[in-house]
Amino acid sequence: MSVSRQKKVYIPTTARKNQYITVGFPLTEAILAAFPDAPSCYEALSQIVFKLADEHELINVHVIANDKLPVVRYHSESYCFPTSEQLRIFYNPAYHEARQLHTTPDFTARKFRVVFLATGGDIRVNSAAFHAKVQHFVEQLKPLLPVQNVPIKVRDHQHLSYDFFAKAKGNKETYGYKLRAIDSRYHARECNLPDNHSALCYVTISMPVNRQILSQFKAAQDADYGNLYQSISQAFIDAAQSKQLSRVAMVANGLTPLVRNSKYEKLQTTAESQMIGFDPNAEAPAPITHWDSSKLVDSIKFAIVASKSDVTDEGYGRFMNQVEEALQSFTSSLNLDRERVDMILRFHQHISYSK
């Protein structure tokens, strides 16, 4: 394989691109007390946000004032629904607009979070321009807040998602992505990031647990699924390590896996979320597995995190090719019906910094 080809990964042209940016700050007592005559502090702050967002042509905006975690995904229809811990937002960036305030009656939020969803055409090409708009928004928001010097956290989330078995379903056309780090892409488009920003790159895979899987491991009638999960976990870890991918995790307990940089963030598993912590600088960390042997899940979630050496313009393409080769080996060992199974792979690039 040529060097230039190694730097690219060939992804189905049906892949979905997504980007959203969150801007958040703590709701201190001083901020809450600054709006005694307003219907609520949240409504007053949201009106400031919506007016400023309109000025910057940010047209899909959700204000979250109930401490729920935003989870954003593509969908042909626009809708969002809350769980006890999350706000799940589905939309098509080509068509959908929104400006919504999300609160919970009689609940005092600890954080005020604004979620900006990317809109328009090629999301990845226009990601720097979108981020620059949000940067300008933050700079103009600061003096409008009732308390000065409030620490504002900016998080930029970008995804490429596709069915790993798309080719078997007849979607054979691919596009060669020369994946680049976010800061490099942004710098080339004159959108500069603070030097102290942190970055994390990883892949998540969702594999449905169907009758074929159950019968293959003779687990259809079992009340204890530990052997099923152990066998699948070992097959996944072996396939990943054969391609020099050591930062891996598997979750099969019904919780939503959330990958975090353990060097900077405290990890706390909740009733809905399974926190998975990786330090990209750590050498050869042990695989992480979480499953509930008494519960048969609808799908098993996997994660593969890029190492420090992968987080370069040349490294991402190589990393993704290693991931695809490992998944080819892993899924072949399970003998999955590629024409009938959707195995969704999502490539994540995240950056965060404080303003």
Side-chain angles (χ1 to χ4, degrees):
M1 182 183 291
S2 68
V3 173
S4 61
R5 184 175 175 84
Q6 286 181 337
K7 296 177 183 178
K8 289 186 178 182
V9 58
Y10 289 82
I11 292 174
T13 55
T14 53
R16 305 293 188 187
K17 307 176 188 71
N18 203 356
Q19 180 185 16
Y20 65 99
I21 301 174
T22 64
V23 173
F25 56 86
L27 283 170
T28 63
E29 291 185 5
I31 292 177
L32 293 171
F35 301 96
D37 299 325
S40 77
C41 171
Y42 311 141
E43 291 182 14
L45 284 171
S46 68
Q47 290 308 310
I48 295 172
V49 165
F50 292 142
K51 183 177 184 297
L52 195 57
D54 285 344
E55 293 175 5
H56 290 281
E57 298 182 332
L58 296 163
I59 61 175
N60 201 323
V61 185
H62 293 261
V63 173
I64 303 177
N66 54 16
D67 292 343
K68 294 187 187 297
L69 177 72
V71 177
V72 180
R73 295 291 184 263
Y74 174 91
H75 201 277
S76 57
E77 297 182 48
S78 175
Y79 62 95
C80 59
F81 63 90
T83 68
S84 61
E85 298 179 4
Q86 302 175 13
L87 180 67
R88 298 177 180 176
I89 304 171
F90 298 83
Y91 85 117
N92 183 336
Y95 304 111
H96 297 144
E97 302 179 9
R99 50 185 288 175
Q100 295 187 42
L101 168 63
H102 304 272
T103 61
T104 300
D106 302 320
F107 179 84
T108 301
R110 294 179 294 106
K111 294 181 180 179
F112 188 85
R113 183 183 283 122
V114 186
V115 183
F116 299 99
L117 307 183
T119 57
D122 196 324
I123 298 300
R124 197 167 178 87
V125 169
N126 295 317
S127 60
F130 177 55
H131 192 98
K133 284 184 179 182
V134 174
Q135 284 182 325
H136 295 149
F137 168 91
V138 171
E139 291 303 320
Q140 294 185 19
L141 175 66
K142 284 181 177 181
L144 300 178
L145 296 177
V147 176
Q148 299 305 299
N149 300 318
V150 175
I152 296 179
K153 188 79 169 183
V154 179
R155 301 175 187 268
D156 190 328
H157 305 256
Q158 298 179 31
H159 307 154
L160 267 172
S161 56
Y162 57 97
D163 179 8
F164 186 66
F165 297 147
K167 185 177 293 186
K169 297 180 178 68
N171 301 314
K172 300 183 183 299
E173 188 175 355
T174 61
Y175 180 83
Y177 283 85
K178 186 178 180 181
L179 301 175
R180 300 176 65 193
I182 290 178
D183 53 1
S184 297
R185 285 190 278 130
Y186 284 11
H187 182 72
R189 291 171 171 79
E190 300 182 349
C191 174
N192 294 319
L193 300 171
D195 291 337
N196 62 343
H197 72 272
S198 63
L200 187 64
C201 171
Y202 58 95
V203 170
T204 58
I205 306 103
S206 178
M207 185 185 78
V209 179
N210 57 17
R211 288 180 297 173
Q212 180 186 8
I213 291 288
L214 294 176
S215 61
Q216 184 176 160
F217 291 93
K218 300 180 181 179
Q221 305 300 321
D222 286 356
D224 185 337
Y225 298 97
N227 289 335
L228 168 69
Y229 297 145
Q230 174 64 47
S231 299
I232 291 177
S233 170
Q234 194 59 55
F236 171 71
I237 292 169
D238 289 346
Q241 291 182 344
S242 72
K243 300 301 177 183
Q244 294 74 54
L245 299 168
S246 59
R247 294 163 177 81
V248 299
M250 181 186 115
V251 175
N253 55 14
L255 301 182
T256 301
L258 298 178
V259 179
R260 295 290 185 264
N261 189 327
S262 59
K263 183 178 179 180
Y264 298 104
E265 298 192 44
K266 293 182 179 179
L267 305 178
Q268 183 178 2
T269 295
T270 67
E272 293 184 2
S273 303
Q274 179 70 61
M275 294 294 185
I276 301 172
F278 285 94
D279 182 350
N281 297 321
E283 293 294 333
I288 296 173
T289 58
H290 298 280
W291 67 68
D292 183 345
S293 60
S294 67
K295 179 185 294 185
L296 178 61
V297 296
D298 294 330
S299 61
I300 298 175
K301 313 294 186 182
F302 304 94
I304 304 175
V305 179
S307 67
K308 184 177 181 180
S309 63
D310 296 319
V311 186
T312 64
D313 286 349
E314 297 179 0
Y316 281 129
R318 180 180 64 249
F319 168 69
M320 280 299 291
N321 279 319
Q322 288 173 305
V323 168
E324 290 226 339
E325 290 169 4
L327 290 179
Q328 287 287 1
S329 174
F330 170 60
T331 56
S332 295
S333 71
L334 298 181
N335 196 29
L336 295 176
D337 186 346
R338 298 172 179 239
E339 294 183 7
R340 298 177 63 86
V341 172
D342 284 343
M343 190 161 178
I344 303 303
L345 184 153
R346 184 170 284 110
F347 171 67
H348 300 250
Q349 284 180 289
H350 294 178
I351 59 167
S352 61
Y353 56 88
S354 296
K355 295 287 286 184

